[in-house]
Each structure stands twice: as C-alpha cells, then as structure tokens.
C-alpha cells in the first residue's frame, strides 16, 4: 500500500509541475497546496483524521469524508454538500449540475483544482465524491477514497465519454461540481496607469483564503477611454482618467484607470495644496508630469519619518508636529521635492 501511495504522489506532483507555467496564478496556489496536503501525510494519517470523528469507515461514506477533509485543508472551512445542492454550507456554491449526458463536457471543462466532483443515483444516499486535481484534454483527474477499498486513496481519471456513458446507462442520475465560495474578493491593483495602446489584466484576489475560486466576474467600463473584454483585459484607447467596475457575485469593485500618452517624461513636479497636515491625518501628494499625459512610476521618501511617512502611492501620514521633505523619484531618475508641515490636531469644541 505504501508503494502504491508513493506512485500516486509522483503522478500528482508531475502533473502539477507540468502545468505550472500555463495556469492562472491563484489556480497554481491551489494545486501547490493540494500537493503539500497529500505529501505531508501518509495514507493512514490522512484516513485517521476522518476516522477520529466518524469512529469507523461507513462503507461508501469514506469518499465523502475524505473529500470534506481535503477541502478543509485547502480552504480552512468545514463544508457539507448533498446530492444536488450545496445547502448547509455557506462556503460552497454549485458550479453546475448535469443530468443530460450531452452536457458533461461543458461542466467538466469548468473544473478547477480543489473543486469537488460528485455523482450519485438517489437523493437518500451520499454522492460519490472526489477532489479535482486538474483538467486535461477530455479527462478530469481526481483524488478518490474508494468506498470498496478501505484506507485507500487513488488518483483516478475520468474521461468525458466515460462519465457520459454513466449518465446514458442510468448508473448515474446526475453529476454536480461544487466550488469554494470565498469570504470576500478584491482587486489586486485598485489603480492603474496605462499608455495608449497597451493592455492590462484585472487581477482578482481572494481575501478569505487566497485560493482564487469565485463566481465569474463581470466587467463594465465607465467611458470610451478604455475597452474591457469578458475576461477582464483592459485596452487603453485614449488619454484620460476613467474607472472600470468589476462585479463578483453581489460585490462591486472599482478600478481607477489613468490612460497616458506614452511619451517620454521630461520633468516632474510634486504638488500638495495646501502643504500642511494635522497630526494623525493623511493626504496625497500629486505629481504633475511634463508632457501633461506622460507617466512614470514614482518612488517616494520622507526625510523625517518621525514627523510624517509616505507610502508607495504618495500618501503622507502625519505622526508628530514639525516639517519634513517628501521626495518623489521617477524610474528614469527625475526628482522633485516638497516640504510638508505637520500642525497640531484640531480638538473638537465642547458643546
């Protein structure tokens, strides 16, 4: 059994490494984590986790327990899932359920590492549950704890045609794909500078776990300065400042996009009007570029960080009374400085 398990591990890791270069960043994280979960424990230890809560292997239920265990290790949450719905778990949503064998390919083509693939015959019995490792052409690779083989984990692959035949023959009544529903999502870069003619992908981050499984985003540009594809690829069309709305489920996130001319920057000037700020308050220092619609990334510094600090976006935060010099340096070496005076914090008057 140990030898068979080692062969499984080698197969899993080789598949993971073969697709690292083409998978989206967050999908790569899930695969890497999945590989660590399996390689960090031997078969007996993995199975014992489930047995501690269930006391014994309850026949066909061990695949269900194993799938839940791996899911918890991947995403840090406990889940329950039924024959055809994710009811009872706020961390799961149903990617899709198919009953018609002609729809199998469309469902499996959506599978991501860490998803749970389940199929069964009747509502009264637990579905046969497997954890998706990856999806290759016309096949889906899964980790499976066989119900007929106690204490065994197997790397299995199901072809689209094989699952279609199960539905067609009546052995399986439906197939459901479950996915982790993150606690919250956000945009990796809330502000973008793009030269006319350039493209940039909107990157979404999962604050809850960083694993990157979430409902399909929808993108809406606010103006004709940019175009946005269905996949979130922004194309800069003409100079100006605009916004792109990204809807993920019920959440709406805004990205500020500044489209620049792409011309070489000749000079920069820092502007803060006024150049005073109260203790414990913050304000941004703006950069004026010449030519007007040109742009370069700026590195910021403060001569007296005990008086005020400045972050990577030019946001100054006042710490104590005094004066400090804020300097901005462009990527090509152009510099500009401005003095920021920190004054006492205004106290509210007693009524």
């Amino acid at each position: 059994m140990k030898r068979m398990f080692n062969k499984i591990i080698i197969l899993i890791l080789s598949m993971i490494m073969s697709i690292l270069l083409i998978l989206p960043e967050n999908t790569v994280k899930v695969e890497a984590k999945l590989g660590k979960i399996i390689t960090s424990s031997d078969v007996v230890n993995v199975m014992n986790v489930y047995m501690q809560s269930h006391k014994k292997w309850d026949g066909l239920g061990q695949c269900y327990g194993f799938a839940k265990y791996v899911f918890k290790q991947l995403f840090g949450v406990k889940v329950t899932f039924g024959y055809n719905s994710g009811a009872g778990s706020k961390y799961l949503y149903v990617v899709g359920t198919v009953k018609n064998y002609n729809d199998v390919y469309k469902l499996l083509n959506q599978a991501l590492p860490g998803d749970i693939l389940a199929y069964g015959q009747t509502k009264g019995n637990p579905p046969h549950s497997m954890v998706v490792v990856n999806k290759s052409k016309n096949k889906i690779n899964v980790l499976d704890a066989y119900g007929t083989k106690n204490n065994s984990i197997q790397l299995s692959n199901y072809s689209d045609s094989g699952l279609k035949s199960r539905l067609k023959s009546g052995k399986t009544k439906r197939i459901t794909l479950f996915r982790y529903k993150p606690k919250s999502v956000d945009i990796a870069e809330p502000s973008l500078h793009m030269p006319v003619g350039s493209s940039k992908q909107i990157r979404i981050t999962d604050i809850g776990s960083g694993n990157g499984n979430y409902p399909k985003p929808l993108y809406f540009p606010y103006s004709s300065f940019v175009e946005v594809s269905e996949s979130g690829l922004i194309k800069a069309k003409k100079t100006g400042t605009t916004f792109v709305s990204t809807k993920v489920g019920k959440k709406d996130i805004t990205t500020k996009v500044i489209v620049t001319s792409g011309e070489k920057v000749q000079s920069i000037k820092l502007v803060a009007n006024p150049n005073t700020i109260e203790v414990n308050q913050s304000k941004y220092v703006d950069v004026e570029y010449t030519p007007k619609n040109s742009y370069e990334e700026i590195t910021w510094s403060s001569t007296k960080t005990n008086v005020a600090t400045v972050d990577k976006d030019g946001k100054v935060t006042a710490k104590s009374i005094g004066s400090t010099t804020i300097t901005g340096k462009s990527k090509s070496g152009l510099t500009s400085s401005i003095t920021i005076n920190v004054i006492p914090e205004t106290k509210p008057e007693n009524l």
Side-chain angles (χ1 to χ4, degrees):
M1 184 182 296
K2 193 79 173 184
R3 185 177 301 170
M4 180 186 73
F5 184 70
N6 289 336
K7 289 181 179 179
I8 293 172
I9 300 309
I10 293 171
L11 281 171
I12 295 172
L13 294 178
S14 62
M15 285 191 302
I16 290 173
M17 293 305 295
S18 66
I19 57 177
L20 283 178
L21 296 178
I22 60 172
L23 286 172
E25 179 184 0
N26 286 329
T27 307
V28 172
K29 289 181 181 179
V30 179
E31 284 222 329
K33 202 169 184 181
L34 188 57
K36 286 183 180 179
I37 289 170
I38 305 305
T39 56
S40 63
S41 305
D42 60 27
V43 177
V44 175
N45 286 338
V46 171
M47 294 299 177
N48 279 342
V49 173
Y50 180 64
M51 290 180 68
Q52 286 169 9
S53 58
H54 287 72
K55 307 302 179 186
K56 64 177 182 178
W57 286 107
D58 47 356
L60 296 177
Q62 72 176 17
C63 65
Y64 178 71
F66 175 71
K68 291 203 304 181
Y69 165 74
V70 174
F71 196 89
K72 184 176 186 301
Q73 300 306 305
L74 280 174
F75 304 110
V77 293
K78 292 182 179 180
V79 295
T80 57
F81 50 96
Y83 176 68
N84 65 343
S85 75
S89 176
K90 60 183 178 181
Y91 299 114
L92 271 184
Y93 73 92
V94 178
V95 177
T97 297
V98 297
K99 300 178 184 178
N100 189 318
Y101 63 88
N102 288 321
D103 297 327
V104 169
Y105 175 79
K106 185 177 179 181
L107 177 67
L108 297 189
N109 201 42
Q110 300 177 67
L112 293 175
D115 288 354
I116 292 175
L117 183 69
Y119 66 75
Q121 286 184 296
T122 61
K123 291 184 178 181
N125 295 320
H128 184 59
S129 311
M130 300 156 283
V131 181
V132 175
V133 175
N134 62 34
K135 175 74 170 69
S136 56
K137 186 177 181 181
N138 298 324
K139 285 186 179 181
I140 187 166
N141 300 298
V142 298
L143 278 174
D144 187 5
Y146 278 1
T148 55
K149 299 178 182 179
N150 285 356
N151 295 347
S152 67
I153 302 170
Q154 183 156 333
L155 179 68
S156 304
N157 61 69
Y158 288 86
S159 65
D160 298 336
S161 58
L163 287 171
K164 284 172 69 174
S165 66
R166 291 189 67 92
L167 284 173
K168 196 172 183 179
S169 66
K171 290 181 180 179
T172 296
K173 297 297 183 183
R174 70 183 72 199
I175 300 171
T176 303
L177 188 66
F178 296 97
R179 181 165 298 162
Y180 171 67
K181 181 167 61 179
K183 299 173 186 176
S184 58
V185 296
D186 209 343
I187 296 297
E189 298 170 285
S191 180
L192 297 172
H193 287 83
M194 300 176 59
V196 170
S198 66
S199 299
K200 185 80 173 180
Q201 179 68 45
I202 294 178
R203 295 190 299 117
I204 297 174
T205 59
D206 170 0
I207 295 175
S209 70
N211 290 297
N213 290 337
Y214 36 71
K216 182 180 178 180
L218 300 174
Y219 304 96
F220 304 95
Y222 281 28
S223 74
S224 60
F225 293 164
V226 298
E227 290 180 354
V228 187
S229 71
E230 289 185 1
S231 62
L233 183 68
I234 302 174
K235 291 185 178 181
K237 306 297 289 184
K238 58 183 179 181
T239 59
T241 299
T242 187
F243 297 87
V244 173
S245 172
T246 301
K247 291 184 179 294
V248 185
K250 295 182 178 180
K251 187 165 184 178
D252 191 345
I253 315 165
T254 300
T255 303
K256 182 180 180 181
V257 183
I258 301 173
V259 182
T260 63
S261 64
E263 297 175 87
K264 183 179 179 180
V265 177
Q266 297 175 4
S267 65
I268 62 172
K269 180 182 178 182
L270 301 190
V271 178
N273 190 19
N275 67 335
T276 57
I277 182 174
E278 294 183 6
V279 173
N280 296 323
Q281 299 299 309
S282 298
K283 72 178 301 178
Y284 283 91
V285 174
D286 294 323
V287 184
E288 291 183 353
Y289 294 91
T290 303
K292 184 179 179 181
N293 290 315
S294 59
Y295 170 78
E296 280 189 25
E297 188 175 337
I298 301 295
T299 301
W300 298 89
S301 63
S302 171
T303 55
K304 295 181 181 178
T305 54
N306 62 316
V307 173
T309 58
V310 60
D311 69 9
K312 62 182 179 62
D313 298 312
K315 182 181 179 181
V316 178
T317 301
K319 300 293 185 180
S320 62
I321 298 170
S323 296
T324 185
T325 299
I326 302 297
T327 298
K329 184 177 181 180
S330 73
K331 205 168 185 179
S332 63
L334 300 171
T335 61
S336 179
S337 298
I338 190 171
T339 299
I340 296 294
N341 299 310
V342 179
I343 60 177
E345 184 178 8
T346 301
K347 302 293 183 180
E349 296 182 4
N350 293 327
L351 299 179

